[in-house]
Amino acid sequence: MKYLSTRGEVTGLTFEEALCSGFVQDGGMLLPEEVPVISEDKLKSWSGLSYRDLAKKITPKFVAEDEIPREDLFGLIDAAVMKINHPETAPVARLPSGLNILELFHGITWAFKDLPLSFVGLFLSYFLAKRKKHLTLLTATSGDTGSAAIESVRGQEWIDIICMFPLGRCSRIQELQMTTVIDDNVHVYRGEGTSDDFDMLMKACFKDVEFARKHNLGTINSFNWARIMMQIVHYFHAYLQVCHVCGEEVEIVIPTGGCGNLVAGCIARKMGLPIKIVCAVNKNDIVARIIDKGDFSPERAQMSLAPAMDIQMILNMERVWYLFSDGDYQLVNQLMTQFEKTGKTQVPESLKQKIQLAVSTFVVSDDMIKKTMRKCWDENNYLVCPHTATAVAYHYHKLEQPRTNCHRSA
């Protein structure tokens, strides 16, 4: 498998090159040159597999054996899964009224990103130790990415990580998870502004190709392809856990911030997984405006009860556009050039309609988040965080609607 840029000027990158880079020199983001297709029979044969064994089926489709021999790859998968404090890795909580919650909080920092980033950190260590090459990782965070990224690489000999987060916009516990790490390779900075401001600073570092090459820069948040790749496994795992009959369509609702998880879901769908995706967003509703209206015009992020989703610069959206335009990098280039010049862009109607066939949205207010957390606790004795509550709010909303031919949801 080789990798290319969403803007068309960079092709033929290896998995190692994709893993160790951030934004590529043409300003785009990396995706596989081809999306492997999984037949329904193959999907059925995966029923009953553990998360670990499912990862061993999916990741080889994106990692060439001459880069990581299968024995080594499976060893890295085993090591990553062992970092998660649950025997099922990603269990599904099955609650009354058909509510299924994929539990991705059993990692060290309790963030859903612990699981994919545990893989990314080990992949990086594998290549860098072999090459005796140093990498400096840049990451900007609105909350959970930072602490999970730090935990995935802290203490590693060949990596330094620089993590930036906005003053007063992360939860206290997430801030402490970042600022109390004393490993020599971890460097944490807090500053004025939003995580979007830091993302744009970080992107500027990568666009300066000479600077990025001189300092050997990489990144470990959702710009990194390997994190997206491991999140694809989440969708197959969730689907196989909740479908009654393999091949039926399942609706998967995701709390949505920067859309890295959405990209993973869209790739899973293109691979043949019969899912529809609902992006549940907080009052920073730009993802809903992009998907529903084609309007990509970021505003200043508001502080909400789900701070890890307080994002407006949805840079992963160009990956979504590339996937649903069948690799039309000229269109992606046009949209992103317009955005970078004016701070906004409009998605063509034809592309918007293609996306809407697979993805819908649901906007959740802070008040709805609080009511959902209370309702889920009262009815199920099950505590959800404000981020999970945005997705659970959609489930309760559907229950209140007139009964239709609904799909199963996870």
Side-chain angles (χ1 to χ4, degrees), residues 282 304-310 366 369 386-387 390:
N282 65 21
S304 79
L305 292 179
M309 298 159 60
D310 292 347
D366 278 357
I369 288 174
H387 304 82
T390 61

Side-chain angles (χ1 to χ4, degrees), residues 187-234:
H187 316 278
V188 179
Y189 298 91
R190 181 177 67 180
E192 300 285 348
T194 69
S195 65
D196 293 326
D197 297 324
F198 293 130
D199 271 342
M200 298 314 291
L201 287 172
M202 188 171 72
K203 186 172 182 180
C205 291
F206 287 105
K207 288 194 75 171
D208 187 334
V209 177
E210 184 178 340
F211 178 84
R213 193 170 290 145
K214 176 181 177 182
H215 297 284
N216 205 15
L217 299 183
T219 187
I220 196 170
N221 53 12
S222 64
F223 305 143
N224 189 302
W225 159 251
R227 193 188 116 185
I228 303 292
M229 178 182 75
M230 297 316 304
Q231 287 175 191
I232 293 170
V233 181
H234 297 0

Side-chain angles (χ1 to χ4, degrees), residues 49-295:
L49 291 182
S50 66
Y51 183 95
R52 180 197 309 244
D53 290 339
L54 195 55
K56 291 178 181 179
K57 297 292 186 183
I58 293 172
T59 53
K61 299 186 179 301
F62 297 98
V63 183
E65 189 163 8
D66 60 358
E67 290 198 76
I68 306 182
R70 292 298 171 252
E71 184 177 353
D72 291 354
L73 178 61
F74 295 166
L76 292 170
I77 290 170
D78 288 339
V81 168
M82 286 178 64
K83 292 185 175 186
I84 305 302
N85 187 30
H86 196 285
E88 296 179 40
T89 309
V92 173
R94 301 173 189 277
L95 304 178
S97 74
L99 175 59
N100 302 299
I101 297 179
L102 182 65
E103 293 185 347
L104 294 170
F105 54 76
H106 294 287
I108 296 173
T109 74
W110 312 318
F112 91 92
K113 293 164 186 171
D114 279 324
L115 181 53
L117 289 179
S118 65
F119 290 96
V120 177
L122 289 167
F123 289 149
L124 286 168
S125 179
Y126 177 85
F127 285 114
L128 295 172
K130 183 184 291 188
R131 310 284 183 234
K132 302 235 178 325
K133 176 183 176 183
H134 183 269
L135 187 68
T136 298
L137 298 173
L138 302 183
T139 189
T141 184
S142 56
D144 51 356
T145 295
S147 51
I150 288 168
E151 286 294 336
S152 72
V153 300
R154 62 185 295 181
Q156 289 196 21
E157 180 180 0
W158 302 103
I159 295 174
D160 275 77
I161 183 169
I162 297 172
C163 183
M164 302 168 284
F165 71 93
L167 174 65
R169 286 178 173 262
C170 295
S171 71
R172 178 64 173 159
I173 193 167
Q174 287 172 331
E175 183 171 328
L176 287 170
Q177 285 175 336
M178 291 182 276
T179 57
T180 58
V181 176
I182 59 174
D183 296 74
D184 290 342
N185 70 324
V186 176
H187 316 278
V188 179
Y189 298 91
R190 181 177 67 180
E192 300 285 348
T194 69
S195 65
D196 293 326
D197 297 324
F198 293 130
D199 271 342
M200 298 314 291
L201 287 172
M202 188 171 72
K203 186 172 182 180
C205 291
F206 287 105
K207 288 194 75 171
D208 187 334
V209 177
E210 184 178 340
F211 178 84
R213 193 170 290 145
K214 176 181 177 182
H215 297 284
N216 205 15
L217 299 183
T219 187
I220 196 170
N221 53 12
S222 64
F223 305 143
N224 189 302
W225 159 251
R227 193 188 116 185
I228 303 292
M229 178 182 75
M230 297 316 304
Q231 287 175 191
I232 293 170
V233 181
H234 297 0
Y235 285 87
F236 279 87
H237 175 68
Y239 177 85
L240 292 169
Q241 291 290 308
V242 304
C243 71
H244 281 147
V245 178
C246 197
E248 72 172 342
E249 188 171 74
V250 169
E251 191 173 58
I252 296 183
V253 190
I254 56 172
T256 307
C259 284
N261 203 16
L262 171 61
V263 173
C266 292
I267 294 174
R269 180 182 164 95
K270 286 185 77 72
M271 291 174 71
L273 193 67
I275 58 172
K276 293 198 73 172
I277 302 167
V278 180
C279 291
V281 300
N282 65 21
K283 60 186 176 182
N284 293 293
D285 65 349
I286 186 167
V287 174
R289 287 190 283 115
I290 297 170
I291 292 171
D292 297 343
K293 302 177 182 177
D295 172 24

